[in-house]
Amino acid sequence: MRIGIVILPDQRWSQAQHRWRQAEEWGFDHAWTYDHLGWRDLVDGPWFDSMSTLTAAATVTSRIRLGTLVASPNFRHPAAFVRQITTVDDVSGGRLLLGLGAGGIGFDSAVLGGETLPPRERVDRFAEFTELLDLILREDGTTWRGDWFAAVDARNNPGCVQQPRVPFVVAANGPRSMRLVARFGQGWVTTGTGDDNDLASWWTSVSTLSERMDRTLTEAGRDPVTLDRYLLLDSAPVFSLTSAQFFADQVGRAAELGFTDVVTHWPRASSWYAGDEAVLVDVATRLLPELRG
């Protein structure tokens, strides 16, 4: 089992860089940040750009993989985004993991003055976004036109350090997005579904989604074992770092369902992912080697 941690981009780099270094020193396999222009009730506080943050993180680490969780077409165009992707991949020496998702409603979808799209149209746009992003990252000089995006002689030179391109970790709970995982994804990330207040219901949903992903891969002619599977533990109604024992139990349940990777969040003082950093330290220093093994 590989274990990752999300570090929200809500601190100045003078403070935040310690967390990225520490995540690597503790032995986390990957570290992520959110790709938003602002997020939920944190929109009124400090917030920094994801790709710039990952570039900075790449300069103070050497081993840990770094990723977006997740980038979306809410405010990104594939032709421009490719330049940022190849830059972070280059600066990190090929350690970028590109988490991709359809994008939800909220600040990101409203701040540019556009209309809020219904779910079906968001997935339509996401499908084009993913296909064009894949194409430009693989081929230098892409001309392409769809309903949502177009590119004229879009360049990727010099290309990614990781060939043929950086790995896509595609967020999907629904059937259409899962088919995108089967087509483009080296990894799949899920948040589960279910009752917001019922942990058992959430785990049931995770199991159901995992089985659905297996069927989708098989129907696409792809061996399910070729896909890395990431579970966002903190999408459950109980914060994964409530205690060290609870975290270990959650990791164990994820492993039983065939997940190769789990992701937790760095505890915050209040609001989202509120918790005690002492629990994170305990998990990282005492349990992490055993859980990863």
Side-chain angles (χ1 to χ4, degrees), residues 48-77:
F48 295 93
D49 174 68
S50 66
M51 300 303 282
S52 301
T53 295
L54 293 177
T55 303
T59 68
V60 298
T61 58
S62 61
R63 175 199 59 81
I64 195 168
R65 304 214 69 174
L66 307 168
T68 53
L69 208 63
V70 289
S72 82
N74 267 343
F75 56 90
R76 295 200 176 279
H77 188 288

PDB file of all heavy atoms in Angstrom, residues 48-77:
ATOM      1  N   PHE A  48      -3.315  29.721  -2.650  1.00  0.00           N
ATOM      2  CA  PHE A  48      -2.254  29.877  -3.631  1.00  0.00           C
ATOM      3  C   PHE A  48      -2.426  28.888  -4.792  1.00  0.00           C
ATOM      4  O   PHE A  48      -3.118  27.885  -4.679  1.00  0.00           O
ATOM      5  CB  PHE A  48      -0.886  29.712  -2.962  1.00  0.00           C
ATOM      6  CG  PHE A  48      -0.596  30.790  -1.949  1.00  0.00           C
ATOM      7  CD1 PHE A  48      -0.909  30.608  -0.602  1.00  0.00           C
ATOM      8  CD2 PHE A  48      -0.043  31.999  -2.351  1.00  0.00           C
ATOM      9  CE1 PHE A  48      -0.675  31.621   0.322  1.00  0.00           C
ATOM     10  CE2 PHE A  48       0.203  33.003  -1.432  1.00  0.00           C
ATOM     11  CZ  PHE A  48      -0.121  32.822  -0.094  1.00  0.00           C
ATOM     12  N   ASP A  49      -1.755  29.188  -5.895  1.00  0.00           N
ATOM     13  CA  ASP A  49      -1.873  28.400  -7.117  1.00  0.00           C
ATOM     14  C   ASP A  49      -1.246  27.017  -6.961  1.00  0.00           C
ATOM     15  O   ASP A  49      -0.149  26.876  -6.407  1.00  0.00           O
ATOM     16  CB  ASP A  49      -1.184  29.154  -8.253  1.00  0.00           C
ATOM     17  CG  ASP A  49      -1.122  28.353  -9.531  1.00  0.00           C
ATOM     18  OD1 ASP A  49      -2.191  28.123 -10.131  1.00  0.00           O
ATOM     19  OD2 ASP A  49      -0.020  27.925  -9.915  1.00  0.00           O
ATOM     20  N   SER A  50      -1.913  26.011  -7.488  1.00  0.00           N
ATOM     21  CA  SER A  50      -1.451  24.631  -7.307  1.00  0.00           C
ATOM     22  C   SER A  50      -0.159  24.329  -8.056  1.00  0.00           C
ATOM     23  O   SER A  50       0.770  23.742  -7.499  1.00  0.00           O
ATOM     24  CB  SER A  50      -2.534  23.638  -7.755  1.00  0.00           C
ATOM     25  OG  SER A  50      -2.751  23.737  -9.153  1.00  0.00           O
ATOM     26  N   MET A  51      -0.082  24.711  -9.318  1.00  0.00           N
ATOM     27  CA  MET A  51       1.084  24.343 -10.110  1.00  0.00           C
ATOM     28  C   MET A  51       2.335  25.091  -9.655  1.00  0.00           C
ATOM     29  O   MET A  51       3.442  24.538  -9.668  1.00  0.00           O
ATOM     30  CB  MET A  51       0.811  24.576 -11.602  1.00  0.00           C
ATOM     31  CG  MET A  51      -0.360  23.762 -12.140  1.00  0.00           C
ATOM     32  SD  MET A  51      -0.191  21.967 -11.891  1.00  0.00           S
ATOM     33  CE  MET A  51       0.953  21.551 -13.211  1.00  0.00           C
ATOM     34  N   SER A  52       2.172  26.324  -9.240  1.00  0.00           N
ATOM     35  CA  SER A  52       3.308  27.058  -8.678  1.00  0.00           C
ATOM     36  C   SER A  52       3.754  26.421  -7.371  1.00  0.00           C
ATOM     37  O   SER A  52       4.960  26.301  -7.095  1.00  0.00           O
ATOM     38  CB  SER A  52       2.926  28.520  -8.447  1.00  0.00           C
ATOM     39  OG  SER A  52       2.518  29.142  -9.639  1.00  0.00           O
ATOM     40  N   THR A  53       2.782  26.000  -6.570  1.00  0.00           N
ATOM     41  CA  THR A  53       3.099  25.334  -5.304  1.00  0.00           C
ATOM     42  C   THR A  53       3.858  24.042  -5.551  1.00  0.00           C
ATOM     43  O   THR A  53       4.851  23.749  -4.877  1.00  0.00           O
ATOM     44  CB  THR A  53       1.811  25.057  -4.510  1.00  0.00           C
ATOM     45  OG1 THR A  53       1.212  26.305  -4.140  1.00  0.00           O
ATOM     46  CG2 THR A  53       2.090  24.242  -3.265  1.00  0.00           C
ATOM     47  N   LEU A  54       3.403  23.244  -6.521  1.00  0.00           N
ATOM     48  CA  LEU A  54       4.083  21.980  -6.816  1.00  0.00           C
ATOM     49  C   LEU A  54       5.486  22.216  -7.372  1.00  0.00           C
ATOM     50  O   LEU A  54       6.407  21.432  -7.093  1.00  0.00           O
ATOM     51  CB  LEU A  54       3.253  21.155  -7.795  1.00  0.00           C
ATOM     52  CG  LEU A  54       1.918  20.627  -7.272  1.00  0.00           C
ATOM     53  CD1 LEU A  54       1.175  19.887  -8.374  1.00  0.00           C
ATOM     54  CD2 LEU A  54       2.114  19.725  -6.054  1.00  0.00           C
ATOM     55  N   THR A  55       5.663  23.272  -8.143  1.00  0.00           N
ATOM     56  CA  THR A  55       6.997  23.605  -8.643  1.00  0.00           C
ATOM     57  C   THR A  55       7.924  23.926  -7.484  1.00  0.00           C
ATOM     58  O   THR A  55       9.075  23.452  -7.422  1.00  0.00           O
ATOM     59  CB  THR A  55       6.934  24.791  -9.615  1.00  0.00           C
ATOM     60  OG1 THR A  55       6.041  24.488 -10.679  1.00  0.00           O
ATOM     61  CG2 THR A  55       8.304  25.097 -10.191  1.00  0.00           C
ATOM     62  N   ALA A  56       7.429  24.731  -6.547  1.00  0.00           N
ATOM     63  CA  ALA A  56       8.234  25.053  -5.365  1.00  0.00           C
ATOM     64  C   ALA A  56       8.513  23.794  -4.547  1.00  0.00           C
ATOM     65  O   ALA A  56       9.639  23.588  -4.065  1.00  0.00           O
ATOM     66  CB  ALA A  56       7.511  26.099  -4.517  1.00  0.00           C
ATOM     67  N   ALA A  57       7.492  22.942  -4.393  1.00  0.00           N
ATOM     68  CA  ALA A  57       7.676  21.702  -3.625  1.00  0.00           C
ATOM     69  C   ALA A  57       8.723  20.812  -4.267  1.00  0.00           C
ATOM     70  O   ALA A  57       9.477  20.116  -3.577  1.00  0.00           O
ATOM     71  CB  ALA A  57       6.344  20.966  -3.504  1.00  0.00           C
ATOM     72  N   ALA A  58       8.785  20.824  -5.602  1.00  0.00           N
ATOM     73  CA  ALA A  58       9.768  20.002  -6.304  1.00  0.00           C
ATOM     74  C   ALA A  58      11.197  20.428  -5.983  1.00  0.00           C
ATOM     75  O   ALA A  58      12.114  19.602  -6.003  1.00  0.00           O
ATOM     76  CB  ALA A  58       9.531  20.076  -7.804  1.00  0.00           C
ATOM     77  N   THR A  59      11.370  21.709  -5.681  1.00  0.00           N
ATOM     78  CA  THR A  59      12.725  22.201  -5.412  1.00  0.00           C
ATOM     79  C   THR A  59      13.198  21.911  -4.000  1.00  0.00           C
ATOM     80  O   THR A  59      14.390  22.034  -3.724  1.00  0.00           O
ATOM     81  CB  THR A  59      12.811  23.721  -5.668  1.00  0.00           C
ATOM     82  OG1 THR A  59      12.032  24.425  -4.684  1.00  0.00           O
ATOM     83  CG2 THR A  59      12.330  24.075  -7.063  1.00  0.00           C
ATOM     84  N   VAL A  60      12.284  21.542  -3.091  1.00  0.00           N
ATOM     85  CA  VAL A  60      12.700  21.259  -1.708  1.00  0.00           C
ATOM     86  C   VAL A  60      12.549  19.774  -1.371  1.00  0.00           C
ATOM     87  O   VAL A  60      12.676  19.377  -0.217  1.00  0.00           O
ATOM     88  CB  VAL A  60      11.904  22.118  -0.690  1.00  0.00           C
ATOM     89  CG1 VAL A  60      12.174  23.595  -0.926  1.00  0.00           C
ATOM     90  CG2 VAL A  60      10.408  21.814  -0.739  1.00  0.00           C
ATOM     91  N   THR A  61      12.234  18.954  -2.388  1.00  0.00           N
ATOM     92  CA  THR A  61      12.140  17.503  -2.212  1.00  0.00           C
ATOM     93  C   THR A  61      12.921  16.834  -3.340  1.00  0.00           C
ATOM     94  O   THR A  61      13.293  17.471  -4.318  1.00  0.00           O
ATOM     95  CB  THR A  61      10.680  17.026  -2.260  1.00  0.00           C
ATOM     96  OG1 THR A  61      10.090  17.410  -3.518  1.00  0.00           O
ATOM     97  CG2 THR A  61       9.864  17.625  -1.111  1.00  0.00           C
ATOM     98  N   SER A  62      13.124  15.521  -3.187  1.00  0.00           N
ATOM     99  CA  SER A  62      13.875  14.810  -4.228  1.00  0.00           C
ATOM    100  C   SER A  62      13.276  13.456  -4.598  1.00  0.00           C
ATOM    101  O   SER A  62      13.609  12.911  -5.644  1.00  0.00           O
ATOM    102  CB  SER A  62      15.324  14.595  -3.776  1.00  0.00           C
ATOM    103  OG  SER A  62      15.366  13.806  -2.594  1.00  0.00           O
ATOM    104  N   ARG A  63      12.405  12.903  -3.745  1.00  0.00           N
ATOM    105  CA  ARG A  63      11.900  11.553  -3.968  1.00  0.00           C
ATOM    106  C   ARG A  63      10.387  11.495  -4.126  1.00  0.00           C
ATOM    107  O   ARG A  63       9.864  10.816  -5.010  1.00  0.00           O
ATOM    108  CB  ARG A  63      12.307  10.652  -2.790  1.00  0.00           C
ATOM    109  CG  ARG A  63      11.731   9.230  -2.869  1.00  0.00           C
ATOM    110  CD  ARG A  63      11.743   8.533  -1.510  1.00  0.00           C
ATOM    111  NE  ARG A  63      10.983   9.240  -0.491  1.00  0.00           N
ATOM    112  CZ  ARG A  63       9.661   9.184  -0.347  1.00  0.00           C
ATOM    113  NH1 ARG A  63       8.927   8.469  -1.186  1.00  0.00           N
ATOM    114  NH2 ARG A  63       9.061   9.853   0.621  1.00  0.00           N
ATOM    115  N   ILE A  64       9.676  12.160  -3.264  1.00  0.00           N
ATOM    116  CA  ILE A  64       8.231  12.022  -3.169  1.00  0.00           C
ATOM    117  C   ILE A  64       7.556  12.467  -4.467  1.00  0.00           C
ATOM    118  O   ILE A  64       7.979  13.423  -5.107  1.00  0.00           O
ATOM    119  CB  ILE A  64       7.708  12.845  -1.965  1.00  0.00           C
ATOM    120  CG1 ILE A  64       6.276  12.447  -1.604  1.00  0.00           C
ATOM    121  CG2 ILE A  64       7.838  14.343  -2.202  1.00  0.00           C
ATOM    122  CD1 ILE A  64       5.813  13.015  -0.269  1.00  0.00           C
ATOM    123  N   ARG A  65       6.520  11.745  -4.870  1.00  0.00           N
ATOM    124  CA  ARG A  65       5.756  12.132  -6.049  1.00  0.00           C
ATOM    125  C   ARG A  65       4.810  13.269  -5.664  1.00  0.00           C
ATOM    126  O   ARG A  65       4.329  13.346  -4.530  1.00  0.00           O
ATOM    127  CB  ARG A  65       5.000  10.947  -6.620  1.00  0.00           C
ATOM    128  CG  ARG A  65       5.913   9.761  -6.944  1.00  0.00           C
ATOM    129  CD  ARG A  65       5.462   8.987  -8.138  1.00  0.00           C
ATOM    130  NE  ARG A  65       5.633   9.774  -9.369  1.00  0.00           N
ATOM    131  CZ  ARG A  65       5.418   9.276 -10.585  1.00  0.00           C
ATOM    132  NH1 ARG A  65       5.009   8.029 -10.741  1.00  0.00           N
ATOM    133  NH2 ARG A  65       5.582  10.017 -11.664  1.00  0.00           N
ATOM    134  N   LEU A  66       4.514  14.151  -6.617  1.00  0.00           N
ATOM    135  CA  LEU A  66       3.759  15.370  -6.372  1.00  0.00           C
ATOM    136  C   LEU A  66       2.586  15.439  -7.333  1.00  0.00           C
ATOM    137  O   LEU A  66       2.726  15.094  -8.514  1.00  0.00           O
ATOM    138  CB  LEU A  66       4.658  16.591  -6.578  1.00  0.00           C
ATOM    139  CG  LEU A  66       5.968  16.589  -5.787  1.00  0.00           C
ATOM    140  CD1 LEU A  66       6.905  17.691  -6.295  1.00  0.00           C
ATOM    141  CD2 LEU A  66       5.710  16.746  -4.300  1.00  0.00           C
ATOM    142  N   GLY A  67       1.417  15.889  -6.842  1.00  0.00           N
ATOM    143  CA  GLY A  67       0.272  15.855  -7.732  1.00  0.00           C
ATOM    144  C   GLY A  67      -0.821  16.856  -7.439  1.00  0.00           C
ATOM    145  O   GLY A  67      -0.897  17.447  -6.359  1.00  0.00           O
ATOM    146  N   THR A  68      -1.696  17.027  -8.434  1.00  0.00           N
ATOM    147  CA  THR A  68      -2.915  17.821  -8.308  1.00  0.00           C
ATOM    148  C   THR A  68      -4.068  16.889  -7.955  1.00  0.00           C
ATOM    149  O   THR A  68      -4.218  15.831  -8.543  1.00  0.00           O
ATOM    150  CB  THR A  68      -3.248  18.517  -9.638  1.00  0.00           C
ATOM    151  OG1 THR A  68      -3.285  17.545 -10.701  1.00  0.00           O
ATOM    152  CG2 THR A  68      -2.210  19.573  -9.957  1.00  0.00           C
ATOM    153  N   LEU A  69      -4.900  17.323  -7.028  1.00  0.00           N
ATOM    154  CA  LEU A  69      -6.025  16.482  -6.618  1.00  0.00           C
ATOM    155  C   LEU A  69      -7.293  17.348  -6.490  1.00  0.00           C
ATOM    156  O   LEU A  69      -7.670  17.732  -5.414  1.00  0.00           O
ATOM    157  CB  LEU A  69      -5.700  15.819  -5.280  1.00  0.00           C
ATOM    158  CG  LEU A  69      -6.362  14.487  -5.003  1.00  0.00           C
ATOM    159  CD1 LEU A  69      -5.920  13.445  -6.008  1.00  0.00           C
ATOM    160  CD2 LEU A  69      -6.053  14.008  -3.604  1.00  0.00           C
ATOM    161  N   VAL A  70      -7.966  17.620  -7.599  1.00  0.00           N
ATOM    162  CA  VAL A  70      -7.628  17.287  -8.982  1.00  0.00           C
ATOM    163  C   VAL A  70      -7.751  18.554  -9.826  1.00  0.00           C
ATOM    164  O   VAL A  70      -8.492  19.469  -9.490  1.00  0.00           O
ATOM    165  CB  VAL A  70      -8.561  16.199  -9.585  1.00  0.00           C
ATOM    166  CG1 VAL A  70      -8.299  14.847  -8.961  1.00  0.00           C
ATOM    167  CG2 VAL A  70     -10.049  16.601  -9.407  1.00  0.00           C
ATOM    168  N   ALA A  71      -7.034  18.577 -10.970  1.00  0.00           N
ATOM    169  CA  ALA A  71      -7.175  19.654 -11.942  1.00  0.00           C
ATOM    170  C   ALA A  71      -8.419  19.400 -12.788  1.00  0.00           C
ATOM    171  O   ALA A  71      -8.771  18.256 -13.062  1.00  0.00           O
ATOM    172  CB  ALA A  71      -5.937  19.723 -12.829  1.00  0.00           C
ATOM    173  N   SER A  72      -9.069  20.480 -13.212  1.00  0.00           N
ATOM    174  CA  SER A  72     -10.320  20.337 -13.960  1.00  0.00           C
ATOM    175  C   SER A  72     -10.404  21.392 -15.058  1.00  0.00           C
ATOM    176  O   SER A  72      -9.659  22.386 -15.045  1.00  0.00           O
ATOM    177  CB  SER A  72     -11.522  20.482 -13.019  1.00  0.00           C
ATOM    178  OG  SER A  72     -11.811  21.857 -12.792  1.00  0.00           O
ATOM    179  N   PRO A  73     -11.348  21.214 -15.991  1.00  0.00           N
ATOM    180  CA  PRO A  73     -11.562  22.216 -17.031  1.00  0.00           C
ATOM    181  C   PRO A  73     -12.354  23.430 -16.578  1.00  0.00           C
ATOM    182  O   PRO A  73     -12.702  24.277 -17.418  1.00  0.00           O
ATOM    183  CB  PRO A  73     -12.310  21.438 -18.119  1.00  0.00           C
ATOM    184  CG  PRO A  73     -12.995  20.341 -17.404  1.00  0.00           C
ATOM    185  CD  PRO A  73     -12.123  19.983 -16.244  1.00  0.00           C
ATOM    186  N   ASN A  74     -12.635  23.556 -15.290  1.00  0.00           N
ATOM    187  CA  ASN A  74     -13.378  24.729 -14.818  1.00  0.00           C
ATOM    188  C   ASN A  74     -12.694  26.028 -15.208  1.00  0.00           C
ATOM    189  O   ASN A  74     -13.352  27.019 -15.520  1.00  0.00           O
ATOM    190  CB  ASN A  74     -13.554  24.677 -13.299  1.00  0.00           C
ATOM    191  CG  ASN A  74     -14.858  24.033 -12.890  1.00  0.00           C
ATOM    192  OD1 ASN A  74     -15.770  23.892 -13.694  1.00  0.00           O
ATOM    193  ND2 ASN A  74     -14.954  23.634 -11.635  1.00  0.00           N
ATOM    194  N   PHE A  75     -11.370  26.039 -15.153  1.00  0.00           N
ATOM    195  CA  PHE A  75     -10.655  27.273 -15.503  1.00  0.00           C
ATOM    196  C   PHE A  75      -9.367  26.984 -16.272  1.00  0.00           C
ATOM    197  O   PHE A  75      -8.466  27.814 -16.324  1.00  0.00           O
ATOM    198  CB  PHE A  75     -10.343  28.107 -14.249  1.00  0.00           C
ATOM    199  CG  PHE A  75      -9.569  27.363 -13.187  1.00  0.00           C
ATOM    200  CD1 PHE A  75      -8.182  27.375 -13.186  1.00  0.00           C
ATOM    201  CD2 PHE A  75     -10.222  26.664 -12.191  1.00  0.00           C
ATOM    202  CE1 PHE A  75      -7.462  26.694 -12.215  1.00  0.00           C
ATOM    203  CE2 PHE A  75      -9.513  25.988 -11.214  1.00  0.00           C
ATOM    204  CZ  PHE A  75      -8.126  26.004 -11.219  1.00  0.00           C
ATOM    205  N   ARG A  76      -9.277  25.801 -16.863  1.00  0.00           N
ATOM    206  CA  ARG A  76      -8.050  25.433 -17.573  1.00  0.00           C
ATOM    207  C   ARG A  76      -8.359  25.043 -19.020  1.00  0.00           C
ATOM    208  O   ARG A  76      -9.391  24.436 -19.303  1.00  0.00           O
ATOM    209  CB  ARG A  76      -7.356  24.267 -16.873  1.00  0.00           C
ATOM    210  CG  ARG A  76      -6.852  24.626 -15.480  1.00  0.00           C
ATOM    211  CD  ARG A  76      -5.781  23.660 -15.024  1.00  0.00           C
ATOM    212  NE  ARG A  76      -5.220  24.013 -13.740  1.00  0.00           N
ATOM    213  CZ  ARG A  76      -4.280  24.929 -13.547  1.00  0.00           C
ATOM    214  NH1 ARG A  76      -3.802  25.602 -14.584  1.00  0.00           N
ATOM    215  NH2 ARG A  76      -3.810  25.183 -12.336  1.00  0.00           N
ATOM    216  N   HIS A  77      -7.416  25.401 -19.904  1.00  0.00           N
ATOM    217  CA  HIS A  77      -7.465  24.961 -21.301  1.00  0.00           C
ATOM    218  C   HIS A  77      -6.285  24.023 -21.520  1.00  0.00           C
ATOM    219  O   HIS A  77      -5.160  24.332 -21.113  1.00  0.00           O
ATOM    220  CB  HIS A  77      -7.370  26.161 -22.244  1.00  0.00           C
ATOM    221  CG  HIS A  77      -7.605  25.809 -23.674  1.00  0.00           C
ATOM    222  ND1 HIS A  77      -6.678  25.089 -24.437  1.00  0.00           N
ATOM    223  CD2 HIS A  77      -8.657  26.067 -24.508  1.00  0.00           C
ATOM    224  CE1 HIS A  77      -7.151  24.924 -25.643  1.00  0.00           C
ATOM    225  NE2 HIS A  77      -8.344  25.502 -25.729  1.00  0.00           N
TER     226      HIS A  77
END
